[in-house]
């Protein structure tokens, strides 16, 4: 008889579960029910360039789909990195108000522009209680976490590394890597997994743009230690990885895992189409043991376009 992990822990009891170490192979993988959700990323909301109106249009279009929930892929605001506290709070308040038009439960992923005050030009001290990622945690909760829905295990990662010179890079930190390793090891074999991350783990974006004249000081287009994460995913039933940050539609498959980078709600930072990808969001469907996606636009016209 197959026993689910939840049933096993219930039978064992809280005290016994804490002491017992049972291999995940003893648990049956959960049964998956078909469902859809929306992946909305890179709104870069601001009072200027009709960004609030555009984000509102995207949210209202997204709610027309039969979606169980939404995942925000990061960069909710533009920009929290290098502005005073009053401006950053204004931006997050504006986002909070606009998200209400979506009418769905939203799971949030931290983006680089959601990090507060790390650029010295902001005038913000590292001692400020909202400095760095605290503003995100204060507004949305944990910076990395999991949740389960209809038999699928979702993993939301924090891909933003804050450097010693008060810049950012793409990185999954050591604490998170240990947590991820433990989380994956505890899953019943065959459990379907979907991952959300802001800065892409796997992308060919660097192939689409001119080579920079001087090397970047920090790796910011992709996650610098992505190979460590990809290695951890070996042997697991990862249906797909949803990514943001580059504002283009891209699907790269590596080792059987699709890495889907979504176009941005803001397109080219509210100034039109971004490298062929218009303003929009991604609709995701899980059925038949697979994850499929399609991109939806919502009719925004940039100022002056």
């Amino acid at each position: 008889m197959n026993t689910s992990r939840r049933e096993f822990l219930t039978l064992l009891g809280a005290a016994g579960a804490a002491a017992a170490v049972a291999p995940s192979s003893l648990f049956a993988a959960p049964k998956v029910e078909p469902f859809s959700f929306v992946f909305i990323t890179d709104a870069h909301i601001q009072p200027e360039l009709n960004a609030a109106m555009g984000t509102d249009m995207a949210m209202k279009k997204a709610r027309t789909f039969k979606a169980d929930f939404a995942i925000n892929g990061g960069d909710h605001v533009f920009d929290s990195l290098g502005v005073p506290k009053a401006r950053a709070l204004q931006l997050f308040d504006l986002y909070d108000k606009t998200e209400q038009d979506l009418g769905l439960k939203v799971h949030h992923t931290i983006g680089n522009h959601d990090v507060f005050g790390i650029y010295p030009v902001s005038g913000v001290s590292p001692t400020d209680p909202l400095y760095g990622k605290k503003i995100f945690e204060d507004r949305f909760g944990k910076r990395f976490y999991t949740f389960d829905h209809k038999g699928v295990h979702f993993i939301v990662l924090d891909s933003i590394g804050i450097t010693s010179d008060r810049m950012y890079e793409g990185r999954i930190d050591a604490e998170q890597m240990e947590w991820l390793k433990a989380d994956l090891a505890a899953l019943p074999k065959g459990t379907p997994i979907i991952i959300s991350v802001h800065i892409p783990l796997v992308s060919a974006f660097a192939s689409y743009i001119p080579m920079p004249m001087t090397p970047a000081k920090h790796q910011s287009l992709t996650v610098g230690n992505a190979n460590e994460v990809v290695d951890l995913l070996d042997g697991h039933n990862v249906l797909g990885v949803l990514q943001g940050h580059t504002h283009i539609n891209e699907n790269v498959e590596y080792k059987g895992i699709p890495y889907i980078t979504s176009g941005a709600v803001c397109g080219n930072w509210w100034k039109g189409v971004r490298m062929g990808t218009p303003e929009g969001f991604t609709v995701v469907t899980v059925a038949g043991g697979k994850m499929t996606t399609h991109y939806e636009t919502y009719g925004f016209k940039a100022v002056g376009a």
Side-chain angles (χ1 to χ4, degrees), residues 32 52 57 66 70 153 159 183 229 236 241 264 272 274 296:
V32 179
M57 289 173 63
K66 189 178 180 181
H153 186 65
S159 59
D183 181 72
V229 181
H236 293 280
V241 177
R274 163 71 162 166
E296 288 285 339

Side-chain angles (χ1 to χ4, degrees), residues 259-277:
Y259 292 82
I260 311 292
T261 304
S262 175
V265 168
C266 74
N268 191 31
W269 288 265
W270 300 111
K271 296 178 181 178
V273 174
R274 163 71 162 166
M275 296 173 63
T277 301

Side-chain angles (χ1 to χ4, degrees), residues 4-6 9 28-33 35-37 68-71 105 107 145-156 179 183-184 186-188 190-195 237 239 286:
S4 72
R5 185 173 185 272
R6 180 175 294 177
L9 293 177
K31 182 179 179 181
V32 179
E33 302 174 44
F35 65 95
S36 294
F37 64 96
D68 287 9
F69 59 89
I71 295 178
K105 165 68 177 178
H107 302 277
Y145 57 96
T146 67
F147 66 96
D148 297 282
H149 185 77
K150 293 184 176 178
V152 176
H153 186 65
F154 285 81
I155 301 174
V156 179
W179 166 85
D183 181 72
L184 291 170
L187 292 175
T191 298
I193 300 166
I194 294 176
I195 297 172
N237 183 20
L239 303 185
V286 177

Side-chain angles (χ1 to χ4, degrees), residues 126 129 149 151 155 176 216 219 227 243 251 253:
H149 185 77
I155 301 174
Q176 204 172 168
Q219 182 167 332
N227 63 301
Q243 311 174 136
N251 185 347
E253 185 171 309

